Amino acid sequence: MARVSRLSTSVLLTCAAIGVATGALQAGAGAISGFVSAGVPLLYGLVLGVHVLPGVIAQDVLRRPWVALITHLIAALVASAVVPLWIGRYIGTALLIGGLQELIAAMSRYRRWESWRFFLSAVIVGAVIAIAIWFTADVSRFPVWGQIVYVALFVLGPVGWTAVGLGVGSALRRAGVARRSRP
């Protein structure tokens, strides 16, 4: 007797479509991130926040376990095809953010899909990334006000991109994508 998969082909194809679209956005963000980091480093968190999109859209549309992580990994592979040198960064970011989004959804046993849960996830992701970047980007070189703005934008970036992702997810659900992606 064949074992039935918990993720149907239509769910995986939906993850792939979302991953390709958001991976292209991540590649674009990667292309400008060097210029932003060098020219206006305080805004880097807004650019980096785009990395929450694959999981937000996938979880909002499909509302199933593992879709955030799968979609993040597909997006990372797409972005890596554009910038192969950064494959480690893209895969690492996918595992970190997708893993955090899955963990937060799992805490509610994948039953809570209200907007506040996505925004809570965005704040947690932003805080984790801000802490990691604090040490790698030598944020202490900025004056205190710059440090505060830098960290705040690392939290607000994912929150803003989460709002965008929820808007896209809502539009996809209205278009019937969720009905076509059955378990």
Side-chain angles (χ1 to χ4, degrees):
M1 179 182 227
R3 184 177 163 173
V4 178
S5 171
R6 295 184 111 175
L7 294 173
S8 68
T9 302
S10 63
V11 168
L12 293 174
L13 287 172
T14 302
C15 289
I18 295 167
V20 169
T22 55
L25 283 174
Q26 288 177 355
I32 67 168
S33 67
F35 299 110
V36 172
S37 186
V40 193
L42 292 179
L43 300 181
Y44 186 52
L46 296 177
V47 174
L48 197 61
V50 75
H51 288 281
V52 301
L53 274 179
V56 170
I57 297 170
Q59 284 184 331
D60 190 39
V61 171
L62 299 168
R63 300 181 179 194
R64 289 180 177 78
W66 302 112
V67 297
L69 191 57
I70 291 167
T71 306
H72 271 284
L73 289 171
I74 293 167
L77 292 174
V78 169
S80 296
V82 177
V83 188
L85 183 63
W86 289 357
I87 190 168
R89 290 180 187 180
Y90 286 125
I91 297 291
T93 301
L95 291 172
L96 173 67
I97 296 174
L100 284 169
Q101 289 173 329
E102 288 292 343
L103 179 65
I104 292 163
M107 290 173 64
S108 69
R109 296 183 179 175
Y110 294 96
R111 292 184 183 144
R112 306 293 306 218
W113 301 107
E114 298 88 0
S115 295
W116 67 264
R117 206 262 319 144
F118 287 97
F119 288 113
L120 173 64
S121 176
V123 169
I124 292 169
V125 165
V128 168
I129 293 173
I131 291 167
I133 294 290
W134 181 276
F135 297 106
T136 59
D138 188 26
V139 177
S140 61
R141 73 178 191 251
F142 297 127
V144 173
W145 69 266
Q147 294 174 20
I148 293 167
V149 169
Y150 195 83
V151 170
L153 290 179
F154 264 95
V155 174
L156 292 176
V159 168
W161 284 106
T162 293
V164 170
L166 290 174
V168 171
S170 177
L172 290 172
R173 277 195 324 280
R174 282 193 311 274
V177 171
R179 285 189 304 271
R180 292 185 191 113
S181 300
R182 295 190 179 102

